[in-house]
């Protein structure tokens, strides 16, 4: 039963790597990093499906979980960051405008 | 670094979070007991599926379960995918960049090489699904990946396709599946009870249509909104 | 037997981790990631229940088919949730800047 014990060691390594990746992903400060970790998590998950003798699920996971969910998150992240930039620019414009009105008011008062 | 550690400390002593942690530990204990009590040695439904494999019209057990034995689930699932696209389209318009971005030469070469190969491979997966691992979902996923690759590289002709073709492609899977299901009612008297002599052909037809519409669905979900010409009859929101 | 149990426990821990992150994190993208991790945990438990060693009998294909549909549905749900999150951010930002504009005009008069 030598092969059995080696496979069990492989199982333990694979599962602990998966758990560690999930932990790092959910704890990371940077969301971009979390998404990249999620993609690698999906690829390792495909390996786990192959180990579980589920090649259909492994194919779907490799194509969908890693190949499509990752880009989905990245495009959503880009969309949100663009929004933030717009918001910031609006803020700066308004601050400038308000500064200008304040200046003119001060001048008028003087 | 110190700021983060103090934040962590504050998080740890947050009473609500502590309560949540307590409940989650309790839930974990319950679920671990369930897992330890599960019988892993029983054969489940595997023997039953193997016994009726010859009647299903395909050789792969997973495909047989998906399209024949539990075809009702898959029919509803294809509808769920359609609903997701309807939801996304009703929420927002696809964000198009103001000026077209010129893709780099390496990107263009990669797309030229990979996209046709991926489309070919997706149909190979669908065809292979009748006897090996593969099928409509995997084929559709690879097709969707090819579409996403083309969307990412901002090919100019992609934006000028009329959305009418897109709608037909999206609907092809659900409509073919539903049509076959209704045909089964007419011929056999029961929903999704395929006639025995046609079963292989019908399953391949359903799989191909579903793969096309799943691929287009994933591409539409990635595009993130309804297309430019939304055919709404001039009513602008 | 031990393999089934190992992978089931791994799936359980993934589920729990995702659940905790879903509750504890506030950023919408992180919440959606957490839901994905939870879904993966559930899939892992299902597939681990069906697993049998080579030569130990037929693998039950029904959980495989369920997980296959589940993966596709979870991707489409993720996409819908991401668009919703984007829309929420868009509308809340717009209303925020609108509100500020109103504030400024009110202060100016």
């Amino acid at each position: 039963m030598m092969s059995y014990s080696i496979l069990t060691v492989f199982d333990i390594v694979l599962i602990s790597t998966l758990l560690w990746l999930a932990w790092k992903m959910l704890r990371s400060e940077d969301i971009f990093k979390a998404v990249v970790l999620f993609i690698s998590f999906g690829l390792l998950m495909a390996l786990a499906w192959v180990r579980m003798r589920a090649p259909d699920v492994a194919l779907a996971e490799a194509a969908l979980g890693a190949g499509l969910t990752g880009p989905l998150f990245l495009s959503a992240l880009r969309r949100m960051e663009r929004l933030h930039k717009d918001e910031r620019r609006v803020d700066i414009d308004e601050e400038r405008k308000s500064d200008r009105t304040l200046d003119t008011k001060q001048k008028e008062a003087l | 670094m110190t700021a983060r550690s103090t934040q962590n400390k504050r998080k740890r002593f947050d009473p609500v979070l502590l309560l949540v942690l307590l409940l989650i530990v309790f839930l974990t204990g319950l679920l671990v007991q369930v897992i330890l009590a599960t019988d892993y040695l029983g054969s489940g439904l595997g023997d039953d599926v193997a016994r009726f494999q010859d009647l299903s019209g395909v050789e792969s057990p997973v495909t047989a379960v998906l399209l024949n034995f539990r075809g009702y689930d898959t029919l509803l699932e294809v509808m769920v995918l359609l609903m997701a696209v309807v939801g996304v389209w009703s929420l927002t318009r696809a964000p198009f960049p103001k000026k077209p971005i010129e893709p780099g030469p390496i990107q263009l070469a990669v797309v030229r090489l990979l996209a046709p190969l991926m489309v070919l491979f997706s149909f190979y997966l669908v065809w292979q699904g009748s006897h090996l691992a593969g099928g409509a979902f995997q084929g559709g996923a690879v097709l969707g990946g090819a579409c996403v690759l083309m969307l990412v590289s901002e090919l100019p002709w992609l934006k000028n396709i009329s959305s009418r073709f897109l709608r037909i492609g999206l609907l092809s899977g659900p409509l073919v599946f539903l049509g076959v299901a209704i045909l089964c009612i007419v011929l056999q008297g029961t929903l999704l009870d395929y006639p025995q002599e046609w079963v292989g052909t019908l399953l391949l037809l359903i799989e191909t249509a579903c793969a096309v519409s799943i691929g287009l669905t994933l591409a539409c979900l990635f595009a993130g909104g309804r297309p430019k010409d939304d055919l709404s009859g001039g009513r602008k929101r | 037997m031990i393999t089934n149990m190992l992978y089931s426990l791994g799936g359980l821990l993934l589920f729990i981790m995702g659940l905790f992150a879903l509750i504890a994190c506030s950023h919408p993208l992180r919440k959606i990631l957490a839901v994905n991790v939870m879904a993966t945990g559930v899939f892992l438990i299902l597939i681990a229940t069906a697993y049998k060693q080579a030569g130990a009998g037929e693998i039950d294909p029904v959980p495989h088919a369920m997980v296959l549909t589940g993966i596709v549905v979870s991707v489409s749900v993720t996409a819908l949730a991401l668009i919703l999150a984007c829309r929420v951010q868009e509308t809340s930002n717009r209303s925020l800047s609108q509100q500020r504009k109103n504030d400024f005009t009110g202060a100016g008069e």
Side-chain angles (χ1 to χ4, degrees):
Chain A
M1 292 308 252
M2 194 59 202
S3 66
Y4 184 68
S5 67
I6 284 173
L7 265 183
T8 311
V9 171
F10 170 77
D11 290 342
I12 290 170
V13 170
L14 181 59
I15 292 171
S16 45
T17 314
L18 278 171
L19 289 173
W20 180 72
L21 269 181
W23 179 248
K24 289 292 277 186
M25 169 169 76
L26 296 172
R27 288 287 305 170
S28 75
E29 307 266 308
D30 186 9
I31 293 188
F32 178 76
K33 197 174 153 193
V35 173
V36 173
L37 282 172
F38 181 75
I39 296 173
S40 49
F41 175 78
L43 286 172
L44 269 181
M45 222 43 225
L47 197 60
W49 299 137
V50 172
R51 170 72 184 87
M52 294 269 92
R53 295 174 65 199
D56 297 82
V57 183
L59 272 174
E61 175 81 37
L64 286 172
L68 266 164
T69 319
L72 269 174
F73 272 106
L74 289 179
S75 73
L77 192 63
R78 198 180 58 178
R79 228 166 146 168
M80 282 185 172
E81 273 175 357
R82 205 188 291 147
L83 281 175
H84 272 297
K85 262 178 210 152
D86 285 354
E87 165 87 343
R88 217 173 295 145
R89 209 181 54 226
V90 167
D91 278 359
I92 291 167
D93 285 353
E94 273 168 2
E95 270 164 27
R96 273 189 198 142
K97 214 193 291 170
S98 66
D99 284 353
R100 223 174 289 143
T101 50
L102 273 181
D103 282 354
T104 50
K105 262 182 196 165
Q106 278 169 353
K107 273 174 195 164
E108 277 168 13
L110 281 171
Chain B
M1 204 59 211
T2 50
R4 195 199 291 176
S5 61
T6 51
Q7 200 183 0
N8 282 355
K9 241 176 233 167
R10 205 174 61 222
K11 246 185 198 169
R12 207 167 292 145
F13 289 120
D14 186 350
V16 179
L17 218 58
L18 204 66
L19 186 67
V20 168
L21 207 61
L22 216 68
L23 281 175
I24 280 181
V25 167
F26 180 62
L27 182 69
T28 313
L30 285 181
L31 289 175
V32 164
Q33 276 196 340
V34 170
I35 283 181
L36 291 182
T38 309
D39 169 31
Y40 291 109
L41 298 174
S43 68
L45 292 167
D47 293 339
D48 289 336
V49 172
R51 202 169 341 130
F52 292 108
Q53 186 72 57
D54 294 338
L55 295 177
S56 69
V58 285
E59 285 167 42
S60 155
V62 176
T63 310
V65 171
L66 265 180
L67 287 173
N68 203 334
F69 302 145
R70 294 183 69 85
Y72 199 65
D73 282 0
T74 314
L75 175 63
L76 291 179
E77 195 245 348
V78 172
M79 298 293 169
V80 167
L81 289 181
L82 190 65
M83 282 290 133
V85 174
V86 171
V88 167
W89 279 15
S90 60
L91 276 172
T92 176
R93 202 177 279 274
F96 286 113
K98 290 282 176 341
K99 55 175 188 238
I101 303 162
E102 203 61 31
I106 296 173
Q107 199 180 4
L108 261 182
V110 166
V111 173
R112 266 186 203 141
L113 267 175
L114 272 185
L117 260 181
M118 281 169 88
V119 173
L120 193 69
F121 184 62
S122 69
F123 284 101
Y124 169 70
L125 274 176
V126 173
W127 171 75
Q128 190 205 26
S130 64
H131 49 279
L132 287 172
F137 293 109
Q138 292 88 345
V142 174
L143 191 62
C147 293
V148 167
L149 192 64
M150 288 191 272
L151 276 176
V152 164
S153 51
E154 309 267 354
L155 297 181
W157 54 268
L158 218 59
K159 303 273 159 63
N160 298 326
I161 295 177
S162 166
S163 75
R164 196 156 300 177
F165 297 114
L166 193 61
R167 280 157 209 264
I168 292 170
L170 282 175
L171 279 174
S172 68
L175 281 187
V176 166
F177 210 151
L178 203 61
V180 170
I182 291 171
L183 195 72
C184 289
I185 293 187
V186 174
L187 291 178
Q188 307 279 99
T190 318
L191 192 76
L192 288 169
D193 179 13
Y194 307 110
Q196 202 52 52
E197 55 267 38
W198 295 103
V199 61
T201 323
L202 281 179
L203 290 192
L204 193 61
L205 180 70
I206 292 174
E207 272 199 294
T208 314
C210 280
V212 169
S213 77
I214 288 170
L216 285 177
T217 301
L218 294 171
C220 287
L221 291 176
F222 180 78
R226 61 177 172 274
K228 237 191 259 174
D229 51 337
D230 51 357
L231 303 180
S232 61
R235 269 193 302 141
K236 293 276 185 290
R237 284 212 298 157
Chain C
M1 185 74 181
I2 191 165
T3 316
N4 303 54
M5 219 163 256
L6 268 177
Y7 278 90
S8 295
L9 286 177
L12 171 65
L13 282 179
L14 282 181
F15 179 82
I16 292 295
M17 230 184 249
L19 184 63
F20 183 68
L22 177 67
I23 297 170
C25 296
S26 60
H27 195 284
L29 278 186
R30 213 173 278 269
K31 273 185 194 291
I32 300 170
L33 271 178
V35 171
N36 266 297
V37 171
M38 279 171 76
T40 312
V42 174
F43 296 154
L44 194 51
I45 292 175
L46 268 173
I47 295 281
T49 313
Y51 172 73
K52 282 201 176 57
Q53 256 181 298
E58 290 286 331
I59 287 191
D60 187 356
V62 179
H64 289 196
M66 278 157 75
V67 168
L68 205 52
T69 50
I71 286 175
V72 179
V73 168
S74 84
V75 168
S76 64
V77 166
T78 303
L80 189 57
L82 285 172
I83 298 286
L84 270 173
C86 281
R87 282 296 289 169
V88 165
Q89 198 126 7
E90 246 171 62
T91 47
S92 62
N93 268 357
R94 194 175 294 157
S95 66
L96 205 65
S97 50
Q98 200 73 37
Q99 207 180 346
R100 281 193 195 153
K101 233 174 247 167
N102 288 340
D103 280 356
F104 277 117
T105 52
E109 278 169 10

